[in-house]
Amino acid sequence: MALYPSDKTETAYNGKDRNAAELGLTPQSELWNGRLATIGFLAYLIWNLNGYGVLRDVLHLIS
């Protein structure tokens, strides 16, 4: 039995697994880029909510 169910959405982009980690400008790399950007954004929000706001400190120094 496969780990995940197999259907047409897994290979809809270019005939390859959409979760494969591939280098270059491929649909798979764009998906991973979006996922990692989301993780980074959430990490920054959590960091900022805990009071370690680097951007806020920099803007405070400028004004």
Side-chain angles (χ1 to χ4, degrees):
M1 180 177 217
L3 186 59
Y4 299 106
S6 179
D7 58 6
K8 291 181 182 180
T9 60
E10 289 181 357
T11 59
Y13 290 110
N14 58 358
K16 297 179 183 177
D17 182 19
R18 68 179 178 177
N19 291 319
E22 294 186 10
L23 298 176
L25 295 174
T26 62
Q28 289 84 0
S29 64
E30 291 297 320
L31 283 171
W32 280 104
N33 184 26
R35 291 170 181 164
L36 294 175
T38 302
I39 291 170
F41 183 72
L42 289 175
Y44 174 75
L45 284 179
I46 292 169
W47 183 264
N48 200 11
L49 287 174
N50 283 330
Y52 301 107
V54 176
L55 182 61
R56 182 179 53 224
D57 294 341
V58 169
L59 292 176
H60 179 70
L61 290 174
I62 292 173
S63 61

